[in-house]
């Protein structure tokens, strides 16, 4: 039940990288990429991040750090660690782009403040829970 990462070339100028999706979700993602369907980019949390990144890009990547943290918390709980993390729904991802500017390669990243605030709060919550703190003396 670990993380699976799949990468592949779709055509001469397009590739796709998929992480943690079911087979059905991967099929939909590949079909959307082949059709230039930007449904994921149209989601409000992703759009907010995309609007902060350069428009001329060779590559764009969105990292759902909240989902990674939630998954890590679930794994820790399976091994008996008292880690409880509650994150708000629909947090924006970290956005990264790679672009060519003249003879140089340019990399940009955008980390939304709301994501940082939510992760700091969740980290404090997890730490307090592991120390026996929090409401009622433990989680």
């Amino acid at each position: 039940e670990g993380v699976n990462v799949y990468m592949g070339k779709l055509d001469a100028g397009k590739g796709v990288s998929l992480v943690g999706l079911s087979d059905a979700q991967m099929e939909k993602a590949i079909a959307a990429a082949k059709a230039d369907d930007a449904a994921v980019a149209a989601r409000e949390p992703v759009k907010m991040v995309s609007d902060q990144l350069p428009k001329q890009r060779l590559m764009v990547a969105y990292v759902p750090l909240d989902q990674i943290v939630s998954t890590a918390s679930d794994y820790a709980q399976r091994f008996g660690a008292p880690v409880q993390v509650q994150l708000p729904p629909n947090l924006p991802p970290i956005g990264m782009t790679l672009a060519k500017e003249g003879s140089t390669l340019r990399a940009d990243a955008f980390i939304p403040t709301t994501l940082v605030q939510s992760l700091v709060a969740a980290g404090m919550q997890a730490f307090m829970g592991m120390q026996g703190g929090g409401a009622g003396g433990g989680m």
Side-chain angles (χ1 to χ4, degrees):
E1 294 184 41
V3 175
N4 293 311
V5 178
Y6 298 97
M7 300 172 82
K9 183 176 177 180
L10 297 177
D11 62 35
K14 193 184 306 177
V16 67
S17 176
L18 305 167
V19 180
L21 299 179
S22 68
D23 289 348
Q25 290 171 317
M26 284 193 290
E27 287 177 15
K28 287 180 183 178
I30 291 168
K34 285 181 177 179
D36 286 329
D37 179 358
V40 171
R43 292 182 52 230
E44 190 51 41
V46 177
K47 185 175 177 342
M48 184 274 296
V49 171
S50 182
D51 288 348
Q52 301 301 315
L53 293 166
K55 303 304 175 228
Q56 299 298 329
R57 355 173 141 149
L58 297 172
M59 181 208 76
V60 64
Y62 300 102
V63 180
L65 194 56
D66 58 332
Q67 293 177 18
I68 294 169
V69 169
S70 295
T71 301
S73 172
D74 290 345
Y75 275 110
Q77 289 174 29
R78 289 181 188 185
F79 289 104
V83 178
Q84 296 287 327
V85 175
Q86 293 180 340
L87 293 167
N90 299 318
L91 284 173
I94 293 173
M96 297 174 285
T97 60
L98 197 59
K100 184 179 178 207
E101 219 172 74
S103 63
T104 62
L105 200 57
R106 173 182 170 156
D108 290 275
F110 179 74
I111 304 172
T113 304
T114 54
L115 176 64
V116 174
Q117 291 170 335
S118 296
L119 291 173
V120 168
M124 291 170 55
Q125 177 188 36
F127 179 77
M128 292 298 294
M130 291 180 2
Q131 302 302 315
M139 294 187 132

